[in-house]
Amino acid sequence: MSAHWKNGGNRDTFAAFICDEASLDTLRPVVVDMGWQPEKCNKGGLRNAIQSLSIAASPNILLVDLSESGDPLNDINALAEVCEPGTVVIAVGQVNDVRLYRDLIGSGIHDYLLKPLSAGQIRDTLVQAQAIFAAPKSHDAGVAKRHISTAVVGTRGGCGASTLATSLAWLFSTEHKLPTALLDLDVHFGTGALALDLEPGRGLTDAIENPSRIDGLFIERAMIRANDHLAILSAEAPISSPLMTDGSAFIQLEEEFRHAFEMTMIDLPRNMLINFPHLLADVNVVVLSTEMTLAGARDAIRLLSWLKANAGHARAIVVANKVHAGIAEISKSDFEASIERKINFTVPYDIKAAANAAKLGQTFAEANRGAKSAQAIRDVAQAVLGSVDAEGATVIDKAGTGRKSLLGKFDLKKMMPSKGKAAATAQ
Ligand SMILES: Nc1ncnc2c1ncn2[C@@H]1O[C@H](COP(=O)(O)OP(=O)(O)OP(=O)(O)O)[C@@H](O)[C@H]1O
Ligand SMILES: [Mg+2]
């Protein structure tokens, strides 16, 4: 039966059937934190779950309360009958019995949580369940394609993050012929579509307004095709309308992209990372774009430290962009000493290339095939492609971790009085 639980399939991200209000009260905020809909936390137990799943699609992750079940093992088997393959099931109960625990795990249940529930315990289990759901299943490895999800984040505004995101997406889709999705999460001011000379359309706006409508068909209809292998989802939301979302649409999109494409490229503005940190839960690579400035160094330190704490599963690649040949506000060696790791790639400041891209309505990499600056971006693309092995596991190298504190002239630790120490010592 365990095979029955683990075969793929994708529907609602999450649903819970819980018997008591106290547990529901603990659960809901965690569910919201995960970017899921709190309405999916239903009052009820195993029986309700069976009833409801016999007529509706199963979620990816199912939390189910066994408290009111007289024969949990038997009922779990009944649940398996109506549950679609692939669902990760977490049981909740009040019986503290190792034998029951073992039997449940043996029958394909992912975990058994003992009441009273604690937020931390639920969070850990759900994060784990999400990872298990996203991981390629060994027995259908032939079917599941490798997927690499990359987020590009800029340390500061205007540091060339979107230039990298659009160029990388273009390179993956043309030179590597990989089906690629570009998700521009700069909802008001995004330049993804502009760089590709396209109209953004309503796709992303519709997705944000109706997250429940997001499925394979929606993706096909709503995304704008840029070339044979590249589709983009972006918006130019009116400046008068604030962003109204709990982030669930974005998570849902990431999930659909995993099935429909081999590469996901997310242009992720810093503020979105702050508001929706769970956007990075399934990301394999984070490309951190920065200029060689004092502020860039400070925020590279802070972002790298944040990534280490919150997205340790992802490989961070540091790209210095718009780097002038002669003088820089901070030299490369001082910059690397400050962030305590190597800059992985350097893209020279190339105003001719930028002008060319603007004139041709092409991405920076496409418009300047022979240029050194575009070649550097090509190298970044290679590094991203090398970040995930054939099994889909992220390769986190320690090579980028630079030498130890040598702060010299730019002692950023002193400039960051409160959390400075911790942040500055992160790799
Ligand atoms: N290597 C480069 N050389 C010269 N100009 C560049 C380079 N990379 C990017 N640019 C230019 O810098 C400007 C800002 O780039 P981009 O929009 O990619 O930055 P960003 O970090 O996404 O900005 P924002 O904070 O607005 O999202 C653009 O006009 C772009 O053409
Ligand atoms: Mg941008």
Side-chain angles (χ1 to χ4, degrees):
M1 176 176 123
S2 58
H4 187 114
W5 298 116
K6 296 177 181 164
N7 262 329
N10 74 97
R11 299 288 175 156
D12 262 347
T13 310
F14 172 81
F17 292 85
I18 301 293
C19 299
D20 64 299
E21 281 303 341
S23 302
L24 280 168
D25 287 345
T26 313
L27 175 63
R28 280 197 193 97
V30 181
V31 166
V32 170
D33 281 349
M34 298 287 295
W36 303 334
Q37 295 157 294
E39 301 79 15
K40 303 286 177 192
C41 302
N42 302 287
K43 182 94 190 275
L46 193 45
R47 301 245 148 210
N48 300 73
I50 294 169
Q51 252 169 28
S52 149
L53 296 188
S54 64
I55 49 165
S58 329
N60 299 347
I61 298 168
L62 174 68
L63 197 66
V64 65
D65 198 335
L66 309 181
S67 308
E68 288 173 5
S69 165
D71 185 355
L73 278 176
N74 199 32
D75 287 348
I76 282 288
N77 282 326
L79 179 67
E81 294 304 321
V82 298
C83 213
E84 278 163 64
T87 299
V88 179
V89 181
I90 301 156
V92 171
Q94 48 204 8
V95 178
N96 191 357
D97 177 349
V98 175
R99 254 175 324 169
L100 173 66
Y101 177 80
R102 283 209 190 114
D103 289 344
L104 287 171
I105 300 292
S107 71
I109 293 288
H110 166 61
D111 205 349
Y112 177 65
L113 303 179
L114 202 56
K115 288 189 193 177
L117 298 177
S118 82
Q121 167 202 38
I122 300 175
R123 186 172 294 114
D124 289 349
T125 307
L126 292 180
V127 167
Q128 229 180 48
Q130 201 177 30
I132 284 177
F133 185 82
K137 321 293 183 274
S138 55
H139 52 269
D140 57 18
V143 184
K145 288 220 177 86
R146 180 181 80 149
H147 185 101
I148 305 179
S149 173
T150 307
V152 179
V153 181
T155 56
R156 307 288 302 171
C159 69
S162 299
T163 302
L164 284 178
T166 49
S167 290
L168 290 171
W170 182 83
L171 288 166
F172 297 146
S173 63
T174 55
E175 298 193 357
H176 300 277
K177 303 239 172 323
L178 295 166
T180 303
L182 174 61
L183 177 61
D184 187 348
L185 291 187
D186 192 343
V187 178
H188 288 93
F189 298 107
T191 49
L194 187 66
L196 292 157
D197 202 17
L198 296 168
E199 287 292 329
R202 277 201 53 87
L204 185 56
T205 309
D206 283 346
I208 293 170
E209 284 170 4
N210 293 301
S212 60
R213 279 189 43 206
I214 299 168
D215 58 13
L217 196 62
F218 174 88
I219 298 283
E220 243 168 63
R221 289 191 184 144
M223 293 189 79
I224 308 284
R225 203 152 270 288
N227 64 39
D228 281 354
H229 295 298
L230 177 60
I232 171 170
L233 203 52
S234 66
E236 256 167 55
I239 300 173
S240 51
S241 33
L243 183 62
M244 303 286 264
T245 177
D246 59 0
S248 62
F250 306 142
I251 298 288
Q252 194 78 22
L253 286 170
E254 286 184 346
E255 221 162 88
E256 289 300 333
F257 289 170
R258 268 186 189 278
H259 299 286
F261 300 90
E262 290 181 43
M263 305 296 292
T264 296
M265 173 55 63
I266 309 167
D267 188 336
L268 187 64
R270 295 170 295 164
N271 63 315
M272 295 297 261
L273 174 143
I274 294 168
N275 289 324
F276 309 114
H278 46 273
L279 281 176
L280 291 184
D282 284 332
V283 161
N284 304 96
V285 184
V286 178
V287 173
L288 196 63
S289 174
T290 185
E291 287 185 75
M292 304 269 266
T293 59
L294 183 61
R298 184 199 63 185
D299 290 340
I301 292 173
R302 298 165 74 209
L303 282 161
L304 285 166
S305 160
W306 186 92
L307 289 171
K308 198 175 173 200
N310 297 281
H313 57 275
R315 176 188 190 185
I317 296 178
V318 178
V319 179
N321 200 355
K322 302 170 83 169
V323 176
H324 290 269
I327 190 144
E329 189 176 307
I330 294 191
S331 74
K332 186 172 184 218
S333 56
D334 282 336
F335 195 99
E336 288 182 333
S338 304
I339 66 173
E340 294 189 347
R341 58 168 282 165
K342 290 270 182 220
I343 288 169
N344 299 99
F345 298 94
T346 298
V347 181
Y349 182 82
D350 187 346
I351 190 64
K352 265 198 202 145
N356 224 12
K359 195 166 63 202
L360 296 174
Q362 296 177 348
T363 65
F364 191 98
E366 180 180 15
N368 304 283
R369 294 177 203 225
K372 212 174 143 214
S373 49
Q375 186 52 46
I377 300 179
R378 212 168 254 116
D379 295 342
V380 179
Q382 281 296 351
V384 170
L385 289 168
S387 299
V388 173
D389 67 20
E391 269 77 53
T394 306
V395 182
I396 301 195
D397 59 338
K398 297 286 170 210
T401 353
R403 47 203 153 128
K404 286 290 149 203
S405 181
L406 235 186
L407 290 182
K409 278 180 277 178
F410 298 97
D411 193 345
L412 287 157
K413 282 181 181 171
K414 283 192 190 130
M415 298 176 51
M416 301 169 64
S418 54
K419 283 197 234 139
K421 258 221 146 68
T425 46
Q427 64 170 35

